Amino acid sequence: GAVVSQHPSWVICKSGTSVKIECRSLDFQATTMFWYRQFPKQSLMLMATSNEGSKATYEQGVEKDKFLINHASLTLSTLTVTSAHPEDSSFYICSASPDWGRHENTEAFFGQGTRLTVV
Amino acid sequence: AQSVTQLGSHVSVSEGALVLLRCNYSSSVPPYLFWYVQYPNQGLQLLLKYTTGATLVKGINGFEAEFKKSETSFHLTKPSAHMSDAAEYFCAVKVKAAGNKLTFGGGTRVLVKP
């Protein structure tokens, strides 16, 4: 199956600093990528959807200036948490799709997630 | 808007016993339905999905699910649990009219007892 790789798997940063998380599709071109946030023992909450070459579409309540998403190429999307605070600590997961929404069998493939701890 | 409800945040089964995870959805239009599995500190892996056609869907690792429109359900089953089935399971729904976003249920954690 298709492989999506996230880096880093975990990161600890100081409060007030920024941290970047990368999401790469290794063996397909991802026209659409999604970023999710998962709190402990909770479900995934969609943060934003990005299409290659376009600005990301953020879900209601997600601060676009705090969570910067860039999808500059068909194999890479990045999520930058700016001026991180302890409440931003969470598990962030990306997913990518080569053809999301174009037909019924479209599928999104998930990265392994990044655990962010802000101290 | 669509929504997904997973009954039971935790399920404990004995090894070799039936695994049954319940999922009910709400959608005004025919949805696409998915089951994912998540192991600790990992992303999600697709177990199976229903789009159209046969309502009984077989997936990986011996899992299957049946789409029942009249009950708005998509319950996941496996006849015989294995220790490796211990994980978190998420039901999800996708509706084209709602921007094709995946909406996840709250998840069910499965514990397998030897």
Side-chain angles (χ1 to χ4, degrees):
Chain A
V3 180
V4 176
S5 177
Q6 263 182 261
H7 179 80
S9 297
W10 59 270
V11 58
I12 300 174
C13 71
K14 291 184 178 181
S15 186
T17 63
S18 295
V19 61
K20 180 184 287 187
I21 302 170
E22 294 186 347
C23 178
R24 294 181 183 270
S25 55
L26 299 186
D27 49 7
F28 67 97
Q29 292 185 325
T31 55
T32 306
M33 287 187 168
F34 305 89
W35 286 95
Y36 296 87
R37 184 173 181 176
Q38 185 180 29
F39 290 102
K41 300 184 180 181
Q42 293 189 30
S43 189
L44 282 73
M45 299 300 295
L46 180 64
M47 299 175 67
T49 303
S50 71
N51 292 295
E52 186 267 338
S54 302
K55 289 185 177 180
T57 301
Y58 289 81
E59 295 299 301
Q60 191 172 7
V62 178
E63 299 176 61
K64 62 180 180 181
D65 294 330
K66 180 167 188 63
F67 299 99
L68 301 179
I69 292 172
N70 183 282
H71 189 172
S73 79
L74 284 171
T75 59
L76 173 65
S77 177
T78 59
L79 167 66
T80 301
V81 183
T82 63
S83 187
H85 290 282
E87 56 265 32
D88 299 324
S89 298
S90 192
F91 194 56
Y92 293 88
I93 303 175
C94 74
S95 70
S97 176
D99 54 4
W100 191 251
R102 294 183 188 175
H103 56 82
E104 64 184 28
N105 285 320
T106 191
E107 187 172 338
F109 305 94
F110 286 78
Q112 75 271 31
T114 297
R115 184 161 301 284
L116 169 64
T117 302
V118 184
V119 298
Chain B
Q2 69 271 24
S3 65
V4 181
T5 301
Q6 290 182 240
L7 294 177
S9 58
H10 292 79
V11 168
S12 181
V13 298
S14 297
E15 191 174 18
L18 171 72
V19 180
L20 170 61
L21 304 183
R22 300 180 186 275
C23 172
N24 288 87
Y25 69 91
S26 172
S27 174
S28 58
V29 297
Y32 297 153
L33 297 160
F34 305 79
W35 274 101
Y36 289 90
V37 61
Q38 183 182 34
Y39 296 100
N41 293 311
Q42 293 188 29
L44 275 65
Q45 180 182 9
L46 181 66
L47 281 176
L48 48 80
K49 63 181 178 181
Y50 169 79
T51 54
T52 58
T55 56
L56 182 61
V57 181
K58 295 186 183 299
I60 62 172
N61 301 341
F63 285 94
E64 63 181 36
E66 186 172 12
F67 170 59
K68 292 186 176 181
K69 185 178 179 180
S70 61
E71 299 178 7
T72 61
S73 69
F74 190 57
H75 301 332
L76 181 71
T77 60
K78 181 174 180 177
S80 177
H82 190 272
M83 296 299 291
S84 61
D85 294 326
E88 184 95 23
Y89 292 80
F90 292 96
C91 182
V93 61
K94 183 180 76 160
V95 175
K96 189 172 184 178
N100 279 313
K101 299 173 186 176
L102 273 176
T103 300
F104 289 88
T108 298
R109 185 169 297 277
V110 173
L111 172 65
V112 182
K113 299 177 293 185

